[in-house]
Amino acid sequence: YPPEIQAECTLVNFTVTPAGLEDQLLALVVSKERPDLAKQKKQLVQQENQFKIKMIELEDEILARLAAAEGDITEDKDLIEGLEAAKMTSNDINEKLAIGRKTTESINNTSERFRLVARRGSQIFFIMNELVKIHTYYIYSLNAFVVVFLKGIEDVQALDKPKEEKKKGGLLSRFKKAAKKVVKMQRFPWSRDILGEASHADEVDHDLLMKLLMGGGKKKAAAKCKEGDLVECDLCVGTVKAIVRDGAAYVLEKQDKTGFLVMPSASCEKFVDYPARCTKLIDMCTSVCFNYVRRGLFERDKLMVSSLFVMTLQIADAKLKSEYMMTLLEGRGEPGEPAPEGVASWLPELVWPKVRALQKDQKQVPLFANLMQAIEEDPAAWDAWYNSPQPEQTPPPGGDALSTFEVVMLLGAMRGDRVTMGMQKYISECYGDNYVFQPPFDMRQAYTESTASTPMFFVLFPGVDPTVWIEEIGEKFGFTTAKNNFINISMGQG
């Protein structure tokens, strides 16, 4: 903005931040994984806000009464009774606020177990947000990302369903059902705040709040537990061996096999291995979001974007040093003495300064700390490795302890033509071959991610025509040219 605008206005930056998005996504993940807790928290927050408003109204009412009082206020019976009523209301509100805060703290402790999933979501969005610097086609809205992120969570939940339920209906019927669900659930105006809906309640559920404030509602309904289920209670984690008292209590065998307990069913809930659950959610959400992005990439950009995804996430997970990535990307050379004669006979002149720079920048890696000396002392072995057709597949002389990425850094200094293959190997080791080799385009999968408000947009090149794919999908749903309910409009006909 020009200076004259800035001088006359107050600019407020509403740009989302990584930490802020992480908190919003945490509420979203909890609303999908533990909707009972999400609903309780939203109600408690709404109630606390209403209580604060009520307290301010009481204070204003007391001040107004005192200001309007005449004579000796100790003899004003109505004023004294009003003050007593305000005090009782205030005490009641403070008691409920204290109970609500304690319950909210318990809910927050459980919600925090999904923090890693929300953090991964925030990391992925900001990676996607940077892709527009590569090409203006690669631009994504926050709402679009949230829909794709939610699909990753729903895919994990779909895997949890019993196999019998999955087998119901044929392949086409299940496909139609999934497509119908997507169209129904994800058709929204672009101004809709999906993240905000996960953490704010429109109205107060008084019955739920009464249960919470009376000490109930903290556990998920445990009546669905059956014999053999692994459950947790306030005292232990154990297996349900018997259901007694008409379902009011469970006989639990402790997980460590040290004894049995009889616990009220209301105090028990199915055990959830949160670390394993979060790992599943993180892997699926990362895969779904990556495939969503990759489907719209130009072929020349796919490995670059894959590398950006993997390196950024590995650095965030403390599995890769950021200095390593900078060394690879900079590919700088350090001026100095030329290579000795025994090395210069097979090593190009421009490579030796890069070897010197790698030795200077990565002294903490044992081999790199004396890399130039190692090459000078055994030029024949290094010559063989340097001139091998696939140096990324074999460790360099004395480099058996090098990690794959450290080998990639060495390739960047000495064999730049093989860095691409080295990165493919590194990505495959970290996240699997699926992040390197894209499966053939699946029109059905793409269709399930589209709606009336999120249509598909094909970038056409000579020899590429998606019409056949679209006609095949339309035929499966009963939309064909013969029935006059499928219309193919060419340019100039619309």
Side-chain angles (χ1 to χ4, degrees), residues 4 46 56 61 66 96 101 108 113 120 124 144-145 159 169 204 263 266 302 379 417-418 427 467:
E4 58 270 20
Q46 185 78 352
I56 293 174
E61 181 183 351
L66 292 174
K96 290 181 178 179
R101 291 191 184 105
N108 287 341
R113 298 181 180 183
R120 172 55 59 88
I124 292 174
F145 162 75
L159 295 175
V204 176
M263 297 296 298
K302 288 182 178 178
D417 61 310
R418 301 302 298 180
I427 293 170
T467 305

Side-chain angles (χ1 to χ4, degrees), residues 19-36:
L21 180 59
E22 182 180 316
D23 289 336
Q24 288 181 297
L25 288 176
L26 178 60
L28 189 67
V29 174
V30 174
S31 71
K32 297 294 292 184
E33 286 289 296
R34 292 294 304 269
D36 56 324

Side-chain angles (χ1 to χ4, degrees), residues 175 440-450 456 458 466 468-473:
F175 171 58
F441 176 72
D442 187 348
M443 185 64 189
R444 293 195 308 174
Q445 179 64 30
Y447 178 79
T448 60
E449 295 179 10
S450 67
M456 282 181 279
F458 292 92
V468 177
W469 302 332
I470 297 172
E471 289 176 344
E472 289 177 354
I473 287 288

Side-chain angles (χ1 to χ4, degrees), residues 366-378:
L367 178 63
F368 296 165
N370 298 291
L371 181 58
M372 298 169 68
Q373 181 181 345
I375 296 175
E376 292 174 14
E377 291 178 351
D378 195 0

Side-chain angles (χ1 to χ4, degrees), residues 327-347:
T327 297
L328 179 64
L329 295 179
E330 288 176 353
R332 71 181 191 88
E334 180 75 13
E337 295 293 328
E341 184 176 348
V343 176
S345 61
W346 54 267
L347 189 69

Side-chain angles (χ1 to χ4, degrees), residues 71-110:
D72 188 358
I73 61 174
T74 59
E75 297 179 359
D76 190 336
K77 183 178 179 181
D78 292 337
L79 175 61
I80 294 175
E81 289 179 351
L83 293 175
E84 286 292 334
K87 181 179 180 182
M88 291 176 63
T89 303
S90 176
N91 290 338
D92 183 51
I93 289 176
N94 285 328
E95 289 178 4
K96 290 181 178 179
L97 281 174
I99 297 173
R101 291 191 184 105
K102 186 175 180 180
T103 305
T104 301
E105 182 181 357
S106 175
I107 294 173
N108 287 341
N109 290 337
T110 302

